[in-house]
Amino acid sequence: MALLLQQPLAKASGFFILVFLMVLGSGCALLRDTAKPEISVTSLSLQPSRGFTQTLNIGVRVRNTNGFGLNINTLNYRIFLEDTEVAFGKRTEKLEIGANDSVSFTVPVELNLLSGLSLIQKLLNAPKDELAYRMEVDADVANFGLGMMRIQRESTVSLVPR
């Protein structure tokens, strides 16, 4: 009698193991197909100068192209203007971005005018209508144990009001 009960139990547990492996496999495929968020600078504006310190407000948009929401714990960023590092920092406020959605926010960045002299000199020697920028961001994504994702964006931003 015990042998008769073990066979259906073995078949049932084999079925559950197969289902578990299929679910695990589809979860790994989901992780493999997870797209990194896209990041872009939407605006730059200067606040009035205070001595040798200048505050630059950087408008940032983070876009999630995935079919599921992303939860980001922290953003560590470095910002380069004309290949000169002008700022680095950390945003510790949690960020929730819905599926196929985007969020916008402003990052106030303190610039030390003494350390940015080479950039200022470049701009004074050759005034431009637009500025090349590069933003490097490490995003700590909480979903599915994805962890740190490196995002990089290079483009230009207009200095002339439109």
Side-chain angles (χ1 to χ4, degrees):
M1 179 74 171
L3 182 60
L4 291 175
L5 288 177
Q6 287 179 352
Q7 286 178 344
L9 186 59
K11 286 181 182 178
S13 64
F15 172 75
F16 287 116
I17 290 173
L18 180 63
V19 168
F20 175 75
L21 290 175
M22 288 173 61
V23 168
L24 183 63
S26 64
C28 289
L30 177 66
L31 291 179
R32 210 174 32 249
D33 296 337
T34 300
K36 291 181 180 180
E38 296 173 359
I39 194 159
S40 59
V41 172
T42 58
S43 65
L44 290 175
S45 64
L46 290 171
Q47 291 183 359
S49 178
R50 293 173 300 164
F52 290 110
T53 304
Q54 178 75 49
T55 300
L56 177 67
N57 290 319
I58 302 175
V60 177
R61 178 178 299 127
V62 180
R63 185 170 166 250
N64 176 15
T65 60
N66 294 295
F68 53 88
L70 287 177
N71 299 310
I72 299 175
N73 290 327
T74 58
L75 291 173
N76 298 308
Y77 57 88
R78 293 176 30 168
I79 300 168
F80 299 81
L81 295 175
E82 297 295 319
D83 287 325
T84 301
E85 183 175 339
V86 294
F88 63 91
K90 183 177 206 170
R91 178 186 163 93
T92 57
E93 294 176 44
K94 293 189 189 269
L95 197 58
E96 294 180 11
I97 310 171
N100 301 307
D101 200 4
S102 64
V103 294
S104 296
F105 53 92
T106 300
V107 178
V109 175
E110 294 289 324
L111 302 174
N112 185 323
L113 297 180
L114 292 176
S115 65
L117 283 178
S118 64
L119 175 62
I120 293 169
Q121 184 178 14
K122 279 184 197 178
L123 295 175
L124 288 175
N125 289 337
K128 298 181 172 195
D129 290 340
E130 56 184 29
L131 209 54
Y133 74 85
R134 181 173 78 245
M135 181 179 282
E136 298 173 357
V137 178
D138 290 323
D140 180 15
V141 181
N143 299 62
F144 315 113
L146 290 171
M148 284 295 202
M149 285 185 155
R150 168 80 35 116
I151 308 162
Q152 185 168 317
R153 170 74 179 184
E154 291 184 51
S155 189
T156 58
V157 65
S158 176
L159 298 176
V160 179
R162 294 179 187 186

